[in-house]
Amino acid sequence: MADLLFPKAALVACNGGCRNESCPYGCIGCGMCVAICPFDAIAINKNGVAEVNESKCQGCGACVTECPQGIIRLHEAGSPIVVKCANRDSGKAARAACQVSCIGCGICEKACPSGAARVEDNLSSIDEALCLACGMCAVKCPRHAIYDLRGVLTKIN
Amino acid sequence: MATFFVNGRSVTATKSQSLLRFLRDELRLTSVKDGCSEGACGACTVIIDGETCRACVPKTDQLEGRHIITVEGLSDWEKKLYTFAYGEAGAVQCGFCIPGMVLCTKALLDKVQDPTEKEIRHAIRNNYCRCTGYVKIIQAIQLAAKLKKEGAIPEPTETDWKLGSSVHRLDVEEKVLGYGKYPDDWYLPGMTYGSAVRSQYARARVLSIDAEKAKALPGVVAVITAEDIPGENKVGHIKHDQYSLIPVGGLTHYLGDAIALVVAEDQETLEKAKKLVKVTYEPLPAVHGPEEARLPDAPRVFDEEENNVQAYKHVARGDAEGAIAASKHVISRHFETPWTEHAFLEPECAVAYWDEDGFVRILSTDQSSHTTLHECKLLLGSEKVRVQNQLVGGGFGGKEDMSVQHHAALITYLTGRPVKVKFSRAESLLVHPKRHPFWMDFTIGCDENGIIQGVKASVYSDTGAFASLGGPVLERACTHASGPYNYQNFEIEGTAYYTNNPPAGAFRGFGVTQTCFAIESLLNEMAERIGISPWEIRYRNAIRPGQELPNGQIVGPETGLVETLEVIKPYYDAALAAGKPVGLACAMKNSGVGVGLPDWGRCKLIVEADEKVHIYSGASCIGQGLGTVLVQMVVTNTPLKREDIVYERSNTWIAPDSGDSSGSRQTLITGEACRRACEQLTSALQEKPLKALVGQEFYGEYLAKTDKLGADVPHPVSHVAYGYATQMAILDRDTGKIESMVAVHDVGKAVNPKSCEGQIEGGVVMSMGYALREQYPIDENCKPIDKFGKLGLFRAHEVPEIRAIVVDKPGLDKACGAIGIGEITSIPTAPAIAEAYYQLDGQRRTTLPLTNTPYERRG
Ligand code: SF4
Ligand code: FES
Ligand code: FES
């Protein structure tokens, strides 16, 4: 259940498929967000990338400005289907950089029943005002770049 | 292969398929509804490990070890709790979305004991309901939370089943618990699956059909083409111009035209086989809209027609032109309204089989079983057909025509096998008739006091690929274009054009939703010109008892337009005083077919062996609650109690034909027939007790007699009754969004006030969609391009406060004073909202959906 007192939560658009090695866009595991978060809501996970605990996050946005990679943004806390990738390289390069990168194939856009999933600059994004949280994109994504934060339709890590 | 738990039981899914298919087809948990299979509607919602999730999304292989709950798996206490809460709140209409909503309720209450309204809206925001406007579902969830905490379920507040009592609808339990059957919930032994191969081109000549490869595929039972049809190929409500199958050499009329029917043992083979049917075409230029259709050298949509005019109507009384010329103030404007998709939650489905008496039995979801019967008999050239209505998951006008019923009947007739024909959501969006888009030019003339002198208008509509109810819709658009006002100089002409777009037909409001937007918007502009309020101009012109409508009809003492204006006044004044942008509009809508057409209500009360009275009437409950209305009629008009009465779903062999659920007519017309049957039964009961009447039948019928359009009498009675309404929209100046809607309706006697409110809320929210966001875009190939989830239907978290007020003014001496409410709820909404936006930003908007609002669709 989303905490409606704090309808926004931070989201790190990377799931660490390259283990901070080859992707120029993703999380570098620097830990600046972890340090700045006043609510102790971010930690570096086992993939070596920052991950937000939505039940602690109060949507203050401190990490958003802090992130040197610019890959943290605020999203609707009640919207569980998210793209956790920031790689804008073309398919081939994106594939080479990471195991779970978005390659801009457009399958999510086709699968999405509500026009929420869009691919631009080789990267998928979800318009949360339109999203119905069905997760069709998460289930169909061949790269597992889209996640169900509730852990129902996809495993979290 | 995966093993997981469903309702606590361990199950193994051997082949990987969507969870929805597994739950329905293998476990037969049919409470899990298939509304789209594309993740959009939410009807298939289940709970997986405590979270609501759409069953059509995950594959069974992804679910190893998961715990899944459907409403079948609720505890007995939860079942009682939700049945009570949804019944008490009046939250159940067609019921198709309800099991999903119930599971959203459970998932929420399992986590939060005291949810706020915001949390409730959030919990159901991904599930669509097209009937209720969510208002009463939210109330049901609030009530369920309260009762869950208290740990006890009380008695219903109202238990007296007489007219005027908000008893729980009789179909609440079967819909909440999901055991009530819609056609798709039938699985018959040996049942095959049928589906149509549809045209590749909106307009083309079919040169050949080669089905050999498809027939050779193992598991294919038959491929049926036009030459196999034993009776008439062309069916239709009024005009028989809807091809059941396009023959070789024939012209296709739109992308939804069926070319061949494929029948297979299972759904997968069916899909494969459809691809193997090879059809060759000669593609021809298509007609994309009325502008093209009316050109002298336009391609003809029908080989059989001279031109593309499907219908033309001219309605005139007095001297509109002269009156306008002599008016102090004159305003002319052009208006446009879009296509709208009904978006009922249940896609079309029919099951057919040979019954024990040698009839083709059709289990259908439609707006009249008798109409389905007539059209299917025509197609089969046989009398051996019976139709039985199942639960209907919403209609709103979109289930009046043949979509799957005739195809199912034909398949069973030819193959001898039971069959299910079900539309995918995409097929449903393409095939069934939509709301007509209209283009309208209106001129109004008023004197210095704002008294209407005359109105002249000319309109045209796109009726698409076959007539459906295009003629009557055009006619109703024209007859009601005057608005509910007291003036006598009125003239309108209207034309409906065939095009190669999907067909247009009946849609809640039946043409009036369109012309009402024009006339009411003009009136708002006129009020400003004169310097009086939109309320004042309506109050000055409103039709009052004994006065003459522009159609010449003298209205009776039951006419309640003025009352709706008076009731809304304090709300209107308060909003103005608070400095809020507010808009107002009025409407009238006939109840009953009218204009001299035969309009029969028929009802049989049969005392059966269980010593109960069974109500049989060939009238569909499409979610509006007709069954409850009829039971309330019987309790009111006989000495019987609720327990003595059983409502039977409409069929064609016991239940007498009581016409379509259309034109807001069932409460009034079938209600009156039922009341008449009650008179017979009551007098029999004076002689004998009920159990001594076993085997007897009591019959009532009612002909709503009217005069035909343009009848040569001084005051033709166009319709036996009209409902009246005033609706108001209040905006929030900061957000530019709607803060609240107030809808005041004169419905005569409200049979079940809570049901009636539910109709109003649902109608208002549906038309907020029409006013602000809904579209049905069609591309250059005459192909509708949007999916269900993109139509722009309102969601629970976006719906503002809706205040539904029923003015209980004694109605006609028919049906105990009840008048239908179904359609008018949707009519004045759009012009009221348009005016509110004008008050906000000074921009007059003459097209729908309204532009420059925060609701406008992106992309
Ligand atoms: S979850 Fe569904 S609605 Fe949301 S972006 Fe993905 S496919 Fe579209
Ligand atoms: S059937 Fe699953 S969302 Fe519509
Ligand atoms: S009751 Fe919700 S869709 Fe009909």
Side-chain angles (χ1 to χ4, degrees):
Chain A
M1 180 68 213
D3 184 345
L4 295 175
L5 269 181
F6 305 111
K8 297 277 180 195
L11 177 77
V12 183
C14 176
N15 209 30
C18 77
R19 302 289 185 271
N20 318 122
E21 274 169 16
S22 44
C23 173
Y25 299 90
C27 177
I28 50 174
C30 67
M32 287 170 77
C33 52
V34 179
I36 192 105
C37 178
F39 306 103
D40 198 18
I42 313 190
I44 302 290
N45 71 12
K46 65 175 196 303
N47 296 343
V49 298
E51 188 174 331
V52 178
N53 179 345
E54 288 205 358
S55 62
K56 287 188 179 171
C57 174
Q58 304 204 359
C60 71
C63 53
V64 176
T65 30
E66 199 65 13
C67 176
Q69 290 290 83
I71 58 164
I72 308 186
R73 62 184 174 86
L74 293 182
H75 85 124
E76 302 286 333
S79 230
I81 310 294
V82 296
V83 183
K84 276 203 179 196
C85 180
N87 192 308
R88 290 176 190 277
D89 283 345
S90 70
K92 207 167 162 214
R95 193 190 299 268
C98 173
Q99 302 161 13
V100 289
S101 52
C102 173
I103 52 170
C105 66
I107 288 179
C108 51
E109 199 172 304
K110 273 222 192 73
C112 179
S114 70
R118 284 263 169 100
V119 175
E120 245 172 279
D121 275 353
N122 303 315
L123 182 62
S124 165
S125 70
I126 292 173
D127 179 341
E128 291 180 336
L130 296 178
C131 178
L132 296 163
C134 69
M136 201 61 106
C137 50
V139 166
K140 298 237 159 113
C141 176
R143 303 283 300 162
H144 305 292
I146 305 183
Y147 291 78
D148 174 359
L149 292 177
R150 306 167 308 171
V152 176
L153 296 169
T154 59
K155 301 237 163 50
I156 298 192
N157 280 305
Chain B
M1 191 165 102
T3 299
F4 45 91
F5 301 87
V6 176
N7 297 330
R9 211 161 50 91
S10 163
V11 294
T12 301
T14 38
K15 86 169 181 218
S16 186
Q17 53 186 319
S18 83
L19 175 62
L20 174 63
R21 294 267 55 93
F22 178 71
L23 294 175
R24 288 185 61 85
D25 300 346
E26 299 203 11
L27 303 186
R28 300 285 158 83
L29 295 172
T30 50
S31 75
V32 188
K33 301 298 176 202
D34 178 4
C36 69
S37 277
E38 52 190 37
C41 72
C44 66
T45 298
V46 296
I47 296 180
I48 304 182
D49 290 345
E51 302 283 350
T52 52
C53 193
R54 284 141 150 74
C56 65
V57 175
K59 291 265 184 290
T60 47
D61 273 2
Q62 294 170 304
L63 296 169
E64 185 68 36
R66 299 277 189 189
H67 288 263
I68 293 153
I69 295 173
T70 70
V71 290
E72 286 91 345
L74 297 176
S75 71
D76 286 346
W77 196 79
E78 286 175 311
K79 286 184 182 171
K80 284 205 194 92
L81 172 70
Y82 298 131
T83 304
F84 178 85
Y86 276 69
E88 180 72 16
V92 176
Q93 292 191 27
C94 83
F96 206 76
C97 71
I98 295 295
M101 293 290 185
V102 167
L103 290 173
C104 291
T105 312
K106 176 183 160 59
L108 172 68
L109 298 187
D110 283 352
K111 287 183 197 157
V112 190
Q113 209 187 24
D114 268 317
T116 60
E117 188 185 318
K118 207 167 163 200
E119 285 171 318
I120 292 174
R121 287 175 184 264
H122 190 269
I124 57 171
R125 80 192 191 297
N126 293 322
N127 287 44
Y128 283 110
C129 172
R130 190 61 158 163
C131 300
T132 66
Y134 309 100
V135 181
K136 295 208 178 322
I137 294 181
I138 294 168
Q139 288 163 1
I141 300 176
Q142 285 167 330
L143 180 60
K146 176 167 168 279
L147 298 177
K148 190 176 175 205
K149 217 165 76 182
E150 292 169 3
I153 298 166
E155 281 300 302
T157 321
E158 305 206 24
T159 49
D160 169 11
W161 275 71
K162 290 221 168 69
L163 245 55
S165 165
S166 291
V167 285
H168 294 197
R169 282 174 50 153
L170 50 81
D171 48 1
V172 169
E173 189 186 89
E174 60 178 331
K175 289 177 173 173
V176 167
L177 303 183
Y179 64 78
K181 279 190 154 69
Y182 301 83
D184 192 27
D185 298 333
W186 286 96
Y187 289 83
L188 301 177
M191 187 171 82
T192 59
Y193 292 84
S195 179
V197 173
R198 299 193 185 273
S199 181
Q200 256 173 44
Y201 303 93
R203 186 165 176 273
R205 197 151 307 274
V206 175
L207 300 179
S208 69
I209 306 170
D210 175 5
E212 288 320 308
K213 274 216 181 99
K215 283 185 184 160
L217 188 73
V220 170
V221 176
V223 178
I224 295 165
T225 56
E227 47 187 41
D228 303 317
I229 295 174
E232 288 292 323
N233 188 334
K234 289 194 275 182
V235 297
H237 255 32
I238 298 172
K239 189 167 182 180
H240 294 169
D241 66 353
Q242 179 187 354
Y243 278 87
S244 301
L245 292 168
I246 304 294
V248 171
L251 205 55
T252 67
H253 310 87
Y254 78 125
L255 291 165
D257 265 343
I259 314 270
L261 288 174
V262 181
V263 191
E265 299 288 352
D266 61 81
Q267 300 168 67
E268 282 162 24
T269 311
L270 179 64
E271 286 315 311
K272 271 190 217 139
K274 275 171 71 177
K275 296 202 181 88
L276 296 177
V277 177
K278 288 281 163 272
V279 184
T280 54
Y281 302 87
E282 179 199 349
L284 298 167
V287 181
H288 298 84
E291 299 291 349
E292 279 177 40
R294 65 176 168 205
L295 296 176
D297 56 349
R300 276 176 301 146
V301 175
F302 278 90
D303 280 336
E304 311 63 346
E305 303 280 340
E306 298 273 291
N307 55 40
N308 293 322
V309 174
Q310 191 270 313
Y312 173 80
K313 305 281 166 191
H314 181 232
V315 179
R317 259 183 92 80
D319 172 17
E321 209 160 292
I324 291 169
S327 294
K328 173 127 191 258
H329 301 282
V330 176
I331 304 177
S332 295
R333 291 274 174 266
H334 175 78
F335 297 90
E336 292 178 14
T337 59
W339 293 90
T340 319
E341 156 64 25
H342 302 78
F344 33 70
L345 266 278
E346 177 209 26
E348 295 85 340
C349 178
V351 170
Y353 61 98
W354 281 107
D355 74 6
E356 57 288 357
D357 300 325
F359 286 75
V360 173
R361 175 87 61 98
I362 308 167
L363 307 176
S364 74
T365 168
D366 55 39
Q367 298 187 212
S368 163
S369 51
H370 283 270
T371 300
T372 297
L373 175 76
H374 294 149
E375 300 196 33
C376 291
K377 285 202 302 203
L378 193 70
L379 176 72
L380 301 187
S382 162
E383 292 295 309
K384 294 279 187 196
V385 183
R386 283 172 171 173
V387 184
Q388 163 100 62
N389 253 185
Q390 305 303 301
L391 290 181
V392 179
F396 315 115
K399 286 181 183 162
E400 295 216 29
D401 301 83
M402 292 309 99
S403 53
V404 285
Q405 309 93 310
H406 61 323
H407 285 165
L410 181 62
I411 291 171
T412 292
Y413 188 84
L414 293 175
T415 66
R417 302 273 304 269
V419 69
K420 181 184 279 182
V421 181
K422 178 178 190 286
F423 274 177
S424 67
R425 183 52 80 172
E427 258 180 312
S428 174
L429 291 186
L430 170 67
V431 175
H432 74 249
K434 315 296 164 197
R435 178 188 270 143
H436 290 79
F438 264 71
W439 291 260
M440 306 175 278
D441 286 292
F442 269 68
T443 301
I444 186 172
C446 281
D447 71 6
E448 63 282 5
N449 296 315
I451 304 301
I452 305 171
Q453 304 299 304
V455 170
K456 191 166 190 290
S458 138
V459 303
Y460 61 88
S461 68
D462 183 343
T463 204
F466 57 86
S468 178
L469 291 166
V473 166
L474 178 70
E475 184 176 279
R476 211 56 59 248
C478 290
T479 57
H480 285 55
S482 63
Y485 304 109
N486 177 35
Y487 64 96
Q488 276 74 44
N489 297 308
F490 174 66
E491 183 174 359
I492 184 168
E493 61 168 359
T495 315
Y497 293 96
Y498 283 125
T499 68
N500 293 112
N501 290 324
F507 193 127
R508 193 180 212 170
F510 216 78
V512 187
T513 354
Q514 292 92 323
T515 49
C516 176
F517 174 60
I519 185 74
E520 291 295 307
S521 296
L522 271 188
L523 214 51
N524 284 330
E525 191 173 347
M526 184 59 88
E528 186 183 40
R529 177 85 57 95
I530 308 274
I532 56 177
S533 74
W535 186 89
E536 186 62 36
I537 200 169
R538 290 180 170 81
Y539 199 69
R540 289 185 190 176
N541 286 290
I543 190 82
R544 291 168 165 81
Q547 291 177 340
E548 192 182 331
L549 280 168
N551 66 18
Q553 181 165 358
I554 297 191
V555 299
E558 72 286 353
T559 304
L561 177 62
V562 165
E563 282 81 351
T564 66
L565 279 162
E566 284 166 353
V567 168
I568 218 163
K569 184 96 190 331
Y571 298 96
Y572 183 68
D573 290 344
L576 283 184
K580 299 201 164 131
V582 5
L584 189 90
C586 293
M588 68 173 186
K589 181 70 182 63
N590 56 294
S591 184
V593 177
V595 290
L597 295 164
D599 192 7
W600 287 95
R602 299 186 180 93
C603 182
K604 248 188 225 172
L605 302 174
I606 306 181
V607 188
E608 297 193 351
D610 57 4
E611 298 177 4
K612 292 181 193 235
V613 172
H614 291 241
I615 305 175
Y616 287 94
S617 175
S620 293
C621 177
I622 57 174
Q624 81 278 41
L626 180 65
T628 308
V629 166
L630 294 181
V631 171
Q632 289 189 257
M633 275 290 167
V634 176
V635 173
T636 309
N637 292 294
T638 67
L640 300 177
K641 295 258 171 321
R642 166 72 185 102
E643 310 76 78
D644 303 324
I645 304 160
V646 178
Y647 167 69
E648 301 280 355
R649 251 164 235 155
S650 171
N651 68 36
T652 57
W653 65 98
I654 307 173
D657 186 358
S658 202
D660 284 40
S661 293
S662 179
S664 309
R665 59 182 290 285
Q666 293 299 10
T667 298
L668 172 65
I669 314 279
T670 301
E672 171 63 8
C674 177
R675 195 196 60 76
R676 293 183 178 188
C678 289
E679 279 179 355
Q680 314 275 326
L681 173 61
T682 305
S683 53
L685 283 168
Q686 275 155 5
E687 315 278 313
K688 290 182 189 163
L690 186 58
K691 56 173 180 282
L693 296 177
V694 168
Q696 292 203 35
E697 253 182 52
F698 304 89
Y699 178 70
E701 64 176 24
Y702 165 50
L703 171 64
K705 230 182 119 337
T706 50
D707 298 315
K708 69 176 196 295
L709 202 61
D712 192 16
V713 290
H715 298 291
V717 175
S718 290
H719 295 280
V720 281
Y722 295 93
Y724 297 90
T726 304
Q727 291 186 0
M728 186 175 106
I730 305 175
L731 302 186
D732 177 324
R733 216 175 262 288
D734 298 331
T735 60
K737 292 194 177 174
I738 297 183
E739 178 180 299
S740 68
M741 296 286 309
V742 184
V744 184
H745 285 259
D746 162 36
V747 298
K749 175 81 196 156
V751 177
N752 184 319
K754 207 163 265 175
S755 255
C756 206
E757 278 172 29
Q759 287 289 307
I760 297 173
E761 291 154 359
V764 167
V765 172
M766 183 181 269
S767 267
M768 283 178 55
Y770 170 60
L772 294 163
R773 204 161 65 188
E774 285 179 37
Q775 282 186 53
Y776 177 79
I778 297 173
D779 74 6
E780 65 285 358
N781 298 315
C782 300
K783 182 177 160 63
I785 48 180
D786 273 354
K787 298 188 205 172
F788 186 84
K790 286 184 78 177
L791 294 170
L793 316 179
F794 267 75
R795 293 162 63 187
H797 62 297
E798 302 169 312
V799 169
E801 183 201 356
I802 314 262
R803 193 184 288 268
I805 302 172
V806 175
V807 176
D808 211 347
K809 176 171 182 181
L812 302 176
D813 58 348
K814 299 287 175 320
C816 305
I819 301 174
I821 174 85
E823 297 169 285
I824 191 167
T825 57
S826 273
I827 298 175
T829 322
I833 294 175
E835 170 66 13
Y837 277 99
Y838 174 72
Q839 295 299 334
L840 177 74
D841 63 11
Q843 189 191 335
R844 290 257 171 233
R845 295 160 172 90
T846 53
T847 57
L848 295 179
L850 303 172
T851 49
N852 294 329
T853 77
Y855 299 97
E856 204 173 349
R857 298 192 349 162
R858 286 169 288 173

